[in-house]
Amino acid sequence: MNNKAFILLSTAFAASLACAQVSTVNEVRISTDRGRAELSPQNARNPFRLAGSDDLHTQTLPRPDIEELRPANVFELLNNATGVLSTEGSRKGFANLNIRGDSNFIWIVDGAYLQANMAGRLMKNIPIMAIEEVQVVRGGTALTMGPMTGSVSPGGAPVDGFVIVRTRKPQKNEGQARLAVESNDTVQAGLWVGRRVGEPEHKGYIAGLLNYSDTNGPSELLDNGAGYNVWRESSSGLAKTGFESHGWLLDLMAYKDKGQFGVPNANLHFGPTGNPPVRGTNGNWFVDPSQTDLWVINGSKTWSTSQTTLLSLSNTRSHQVLNTISPATANLNDNETTHVNIRQHMDFDKTRIALGGDFLHWHNP
């Protein structure tokens, strides 16, 4: 099914309110130190900037929190956010996100818009080592984000919010390596390298990541006699580069992964009874191959203290074959999303006017 959403003109007025100190309960934290200037909520170069009054409707998990929590993937990380529950077990989405009863969330990865089903397949493979921060934007706050059409599903379901994922951008010459041997025959290995180049007036960077992960999952059986079927093997790579000069800021990111994985047996419908968990056999659903290609170009130009132009162009493709051996089935599942956005930010004292155009095309069978 092909669907197109085209917004010719949008105007948004948002008052820039001072950030207030918010009292929180237990370990819920709202971070204000974003590291990179363009990630500041009020920065004109931030395409997902929200008014200060919306702080209570958003939550950010920055890199220091990610290092402290050590999640296995983005979904496990989001389980630490307020009111968020991630689940697995659907043949259609493979991983689902539920925030206080809502599930129709658009994911944004470095400016690339992903429908919920595609994101459920892709985000399990993106290495947590590659993530700089994840921001959850809930409810009516999402109305400032766009696109405003019901693009979560071909049926036009309303947008309940956004999950904004930003990959790492080195602020200095740095590197990180990780090797883990864990339970359930799990092996994970990753290498991240980033380097800054140029002078302060004309500076840039290059960065890259390679990652490999393999796990068999628990060997115990579910109450219905089926195995968990959560084995997974994947390899992935990410390359990123950019520069800043004469008011221009440009970032280019490319990501690719390839692997295979079992679709978890959540109930009798998805798996057999009384059989041991064996990869790709006994009726268990599994995906082989699973491939993703994602590239994004983000740019901005600061003309003056009050005039900033932003541009984003992205394309995401996934190729998957959903299989079972007994009975033998093979279902092709290819998805593609292309997104173009351009906008002009005009700041007048404490008021911002945003004018722009948005084009989103997706093909999700």
Side-chain angles (χ1 to χ4, degrees):
M1 178 181 294
N2 289 289
N3 304 270
K4 294 186 177 180
F6 185 60
I7 301 174
L8 291 175
L9 185 65
S10 64
T11 305
F13 297 86
S16 300
L17 302 180
C19 293
Q21 183 67 30
V22 180
S23 298
T24 59
V25 179
N26 297 329
E27 292 298 322
V28 178
R29 291 172 291 178
I30 298 178
S31 301
T32 56
D33 183 10
R34 309 296 284 275
R36 289 156 44 187
E38 70 270 20
L39 299 186
S40 171
Q42 306 305 322
N43 194 298
R45 278 179 160 164
N46 186 349
F48 311 117
R49 176 250 190 205
L50 300 168
S53 58
D54 291 325
D55 284 346
L56 291 176
H57 303 287
T58 66
Q59 185 175 3
T60 301
L61 297 168
R63 187 67 203 172
D65 287 359
I66 296 173
E67 295 283 0
E68 178 182 347
L69 295 168
R70 298 181 181 275
N73 52 59
V74 173
F75 288 99
E76 187 173 309
L77 172 66
L78 285 168
N79 274 333
N80 294 278
T82 304
V84 177
L85 175 65
S86 63
T87 59
E88 297 185 64
S90 165
R91 282 193 299 139
K92 185 177 181 181
F94 305 121
N96 304 298
L97 197 67
N98 188 291
I99 303 179
R100 293 173 179 169
D102 295 327
S103 59
N104 293 323
F105 285 81
I106 287 181
W107 291 66
I108 305 174
V109 182
D110 281 356
Y113 280 65
L114 304 179
Q115 309 312 309
N117 288 338
M118 178 183 281
R121 306 176 183 108
L122 169 63
M123 298 309 300
K124 289 284 287 187
N125 275 347
I126 288 187
I128 201 69
M129 186 184 292
I131 306 302
E132 178 149 332
E133 71 168 32
V134 178
Q135 184 179 20
V136 180
V137 183
R138 303 178 177 93
T141 300
L143 293 177
T144 63
M145 307 284 285
M148 291 298 94
T149 58
S151 57
V152 170
S153 69
V159 178
D160 294 325
F162 293 83
V163 179
I164 305 170
V165 180
R166 293 181 171 98
T167 60
R168 293 171 71 175
K169 180 176 175 179
Q171 302 303 299
K172 59 182 179 180
N173 296 340
E174 59 184 3
Q176 183 180 6
R178 181 176 186 268
L179 174 62
V181 179
E182 303 168 342
S183 59
N184 303 318
D185 297 323
T186 298
V187 177
Q188 297 186 58
L191 176 65
W192 157 267
V193 177
R195 180 176 177 82
R196 300 292 302 188
V197 297
E199 302 297 330
E201 295 80 10
H202 312 285
K203 56 186 177 181
Y205 70 92
I206 54 175
L209 179 144
L210 294 174
N211 192 79
Y212 173 79
S213 178
D214 184 25
T215 183
N216 282 331
S219 58
E220 298 85 358
L221 300 180
L222 296 169
D223 292 339
N224 59 23
Y228 281 88
N229 197 40
V230 292
W231 60 270
R232 175 179 291 267
E233 180 182 7
S234 66
S235 56
S236 57
L238 181 146
K240 197 168 183 177
T241 187
F243 70 88
E244 186 173 356
S245 178
H246 295 97
W248 285 97
L249 179 63
L250 182 67
D251 294 297
L252 298 91
M253 188 272 279
Y255 170 82
K256 185 178 182 65
D257 67 40
K258 183 176 181 180
Q260 54 185 346
F261 57 90
V263 179
N265 287 323
N267 53 52
L268 289 174
H269 179 68
F270 297 122
T273 59
N275 291 311
V278 180
R279 290 190 177 191
T281 62
N282 302 324
N284 286 328
W285 287 98
F286 69 102
V287 176
D288 184 13
S290 174
Q291 302 173 1
T292 305
D293 295 279
L294 166 65
W295 60 264
V296 187
I297 301 175
N298 288 303
S300 63
K301 168 65 175 178
T302 300
W303 306 96
S304 66
T305 56
S306 61
Q307 300 289 331
T308 304
T309 302
L310 298 91
L311 173 66
S312 178
L313 173 64
S314 65
N315 180 264
T316 308
R317 295 184 181 184
S318 67
H319 167 67
Q320 294 180 326
V321 180
L322 184 62
N323 306 271
T324 187
I325 292 179
S326 177
T329 62
N331 302 282
L332 182 64
N333 184 19
D334 288 352
N335 300 267
E336 182 175 7
T337 301
T338 301
H339 180 242
V340 182
N341 180 276
I342 185 170
R343 69 182 74 180
Q344 181 72 21
H345 284 176
M346 296 169 284
D347 293 313
F348 303 96
D349 193 17
K350 295 183 178 181
T351 300
R352 171 168 296 167
I353 299 176
L355 303 176
D358 198 82
F359 175 84
L360 179 66
H361 173 267
W362 69 95
H363 176 74
N364 292 351

